[in-house]
């Protein structure tokens, strides 16, 4: 008897399908750039810091669901920009 997929599996499959599409790759690359995934916020405003942490938490969850491995993820701002520009050029 086959087991029902878990909610995590269903969400993971949906995100992986989205990421596999050209638009999905552009969107995820844009999130990496916009949310400054690897950058440490330098602003001392608590509201900005909390929002930045929340944004990175959301992106971390998406990265987990799409099984994006550290060795294939953009490593810094330059990589993030290059990926986004390359994907946009390929469209």
């Amino acid at each position: 008897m086959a087991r029902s997929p878990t909610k995590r599996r269903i969400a993971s499959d949906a995100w992986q399908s989205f990421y596999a599409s050209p638009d999905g790759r552009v969107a995820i690359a844009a999130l990496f750039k916009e949310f400054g995934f690897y950058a440490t916020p330098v602003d001392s405003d608590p509201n900005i810091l909390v929002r930045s942490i929340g944004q990175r938490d959301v992106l971390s969850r998406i990265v987990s669901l799409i099984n994006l491995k550290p060795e294939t993820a953009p490593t810094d701002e330059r990589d993030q920009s290059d990926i986004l520009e390359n994907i946009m050029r390929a469209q």
Side-chain angles (χ1 to χ4, degrees):
M1 178 193 242
R3 291 179 18 186
S4 300
T6 64
K7 289 180 184 178
R8 177 179 166 71
R9 178 79 261 150
I10 293 167
S12 180
D13 289 347
W15 275 105
Q16 286 178 24
S17 177
F18 174 65
Y19 185 64
S21 73
D23 290 340
R25 291 190 59 83
V26 169
I28 298 297
L31 288 176
F32 266 88
K33 182 163 177 46
E34 179 70 25
F35 290 175
F37 190 66
Y38 297 104
T40 302
V42 293
D43 199 308
S44 61
D45 181 337
N47 294 322
I48 291 173
L49 292 173
V50 168
R51 190 176 90 213
S52 176
I53 291 167
Q55 289 171 333
R56 281 194 267 171
D57 284 350
V58 168
L59 189 52
S60 290
R61 178 72 172 145
I62 293 169
V63 164
S64 169
L65 290 171
I66 63 175
N67 294 320
L68 185 62
K69 304 295 182 226
E71 60 271 13
T72 61
T75 56
D76 58 26
E77 176 74 23
R78 174 113 179 127
D79 277 355
Q80 295 165 33
S81 296
D82 291 347
I83 288 171
L84 187 57
E85 288 169 13
N86 289 339
I87 291 172
M88 293 300 286
R89 264 189 254 131
Q91 294 284 321

